Amino acid sequence: MTTRHFLSDLDLSPEELTRVLNLADWMKANPYAIAPLQGPQTAAVFFDKTSTRTRISFAAGIAALGGSPLIISPGESQLGHKESIADTARVLDRQVSLIVWRTYEQAGLEEMAQFSSVPVINALSDDYHPCQLLADLQAVREKLGTLAGRSLAYLGDAANNMANSYLLAGANAGMDVRIAGPQGHLPSREVVRAAEERAAQTGGRVTITTDPAEALQGADAVATDTWVSMGQEDEKAQRMRLFGDYQISAGAMALAARHAVVLHCLPAYRGAEITAEVLDGEQSIIWDEAENRLHAQKALMAWLLVESGQADQTTERLVREAEAAGL
Ligand code: CP
Ligand code: NVA
């Protein structure tokens, strides 16, 4: 059986995405029923960049799946600087059941997956943040009931990992994804093409624009992210000026649908990419979104282990029932 990894949003087919979201809903309602890591088996979680949500939700999630999380903070291992990624993978997969990694280059994750016989999960790279999107889509579906056909507007740094993941995951879910940012900070042609191809299969739509109003018009969900991603701190002053027209404010929300929900992966900078009024307002579903990191990642881990033939029979039966049924 081939080992399944989750390195980018498109590593799940549209049908698989629905199954994982169904499983996430079921596991949210039944938090300790599925325990593929019982033993306890160890899951290694590496961080080359700092984290609050990802670190806590993977630690809590691995424990709730019956396992033991091994958290490796930035600078604590030989990975990448004293030892190659391939050699690290060869050592790890003899001792752990899952590898979760937050890093810079997507190519590093791909190399890890190439040499690992256990599932590798992208916990954020410079290019994508696919675990965040599972949580976001779960939260939107909880509030709006459906994803396919719903419109999702993302404003701000449209060339960062969150913009790319909104584009790909939204297209995968059959959504009408509108991405707005200034010229020179829009998604790459490669990512847009991949999103368009997936949207053609799912009935989704992709719009890339420099006009925030075009993206916001009647949107069902409105999202943004920091204007200064990890690793870009030196460009802060310039970036704060550059994205000013793309702030999510009450004025911006007036263009969206009245029932629109507001998303932010956090950490947020009130007064920069989003006003405090909107972030802390009634349309914001950011705390549900943050909570869902736990449920969505638990579902993802259990699902990858089952799909890779690395889970016990009870887990496999429960996962198959829950993913087909949802709540
Ligand atoms: N949203 C998110 O990934 O947060 P952390 O950087 O705190 O993990
Ligand atoms: N774009 C942000 C997301 C943080 C969760 C970053 O990469 O820093």
Side-chain angles (χ1 to χ4, degrees):
M1 222 161 174
T2 319
T3 303
R4 292 290 301 264
H5 306 287
F6 187 59
L7 310 182
S8 125
D9 306 270
L10 295 189
D11 284 346
L12 295 178
S13 71
E15 195 227 347
E16 289 171 344
L17 172 62
T18 303
R19 287 177 170 274
V20 171
L21 293 176
N22 288 347
L23 183 58
D25 287 347
W26 192 88
M27 290 176 82
K28 188 169 180 172
N30 303 275
Y32 306 107
I34 294 181
L37 295 176
Q38 63 189 317
Q41 298 169 42
T42 298
V45 190
F46 285 90
F47 289 94
D48 295 343
K49 300 177 179 180
T50 53
S51 167
T52 296
R53 270 147 297 277
T54 305
R55 183 182 176 120
I56 304 300
S57 56
F58 270 108
I62 289 161
L65 293 179
S68 173
L70 173 61
I71 308 285
I72 300 115
S73 296
E76 277 185 356
S77 78
Q78 326 282 27
L79 172 59
H81 56 113
K82 286 190 181 164
E83 188 167 25
S84 72
I85 295 166
D87 284 358
T88 305
R90 289 181 180 113
V91 172
L92 279 172
D93 78 355
R94 292 182 176 215
Q95 306 199 33
V96 306
S97 301
L98 284 163
I99 299 170
V100 181
W101 189 14
R102 166 170 287 196
T103 189
Y104 292 86
E105 290 177 19
Q106 187 69 15
L109 281 156
E110 280 158 19
E111 191 178 343
M112 184 76 91
Q114 189 189 333
F115 289 95
S116 173
S117 63
V118 300
V120 176
I121 296 174
N122 178 358
L124 180 146
S125 66
D126 288 346
D127 292 350
Y128 308 111
H129 196 2
C131 288
Q132 180 69 52
L133 259 291
L134 293 179
D136 286 33
L137 293 180
Q138 186 184 11
V140 172
R141 202 172 73 158
E142 283 170 341
K143 293 293 165 192
L144 302 180
T146 53
L147 294 174
R150 295 286 189 178
S151 49
L152 166 71
Y154 171 91
L155 269 62
D157 180 0
N160 75 5
N161 41 20
M162 283 302 299
N164 287 342
S165 278
Y166 275 119
L167 195 52
L168 297 182
N172 209 15
M175 299 180 83
D176 168 7
V177 191
R178 301 113 172 239
I179 304 283
Q183 204 58 258
H185 295 270
L186 295 171
S188 70
R189 222 182 310 232
E190 199 186 9
V191 173
V192 175
R193 198 174 311 127
E196 283 171 347
E197 276 173 21
R198 192 55 66 96
Q201 291 171 31
T202 60
R205 269 183 61 178
V206 169
T207 305
I208 311 295
T209 178
T210 55
D211 179 6
E214 185 188 351
L216 286 164
Q217 209 57 248
D220 296 307
V222 177
T224 188
D225 182 22
T226 178
W227 292 338
V228 188
S229 285
M230 289 179 270
Q232 299 175 333
E233 290 79 5
D234 292 350
E235 302 164 29
K236 184 173 176 187
Q238 174 201 345
R239 288 180 157 268
M240 295 309 271
R241 286 191 296 276
L242 188 64
F243 298 108
D245 292 344
Y246 299 86
Q247 185 188 59
I248 308 291
S249 60
M253 288 307 298
L255 297 173
R258 285 166 68 100
H259 61 254
V261 293
V262 172
L263 298 162
H264 192 309
C265 67
L266 304 172
Y269 300 87
R270 290 172 174 80
E273 73 273 7
I274 190 163
T275 61
E277 184 188 10
V278 174
L279 192 78
D280 301 316
E282 283 190 351
Q283 289 173 282
S284 171
I285 60 167
I286 57 164
W287 307 121
D288 295 324
E289 190 187 352
E291 179 190 332
N292 285 351
R293 292 293 301 276
L294 172 66
H295 311 301
Q297 288 161 190
K298 281 172 65 187
L300 176 71
M301 290 187 279
W303 191 86
L304 289 174
L305 288 167
V306 167
E307 287 290 318
S308 303
Q310 296 172 15
D312 59 281
Q313 283 183 347
T314 307
T315 295
E316 182 166 357
R317 180 177 54 77
L318 289 171
V319 163
R320 291 307 182 209
E321 283 170 14
E323 67 173 4
L327 271 184

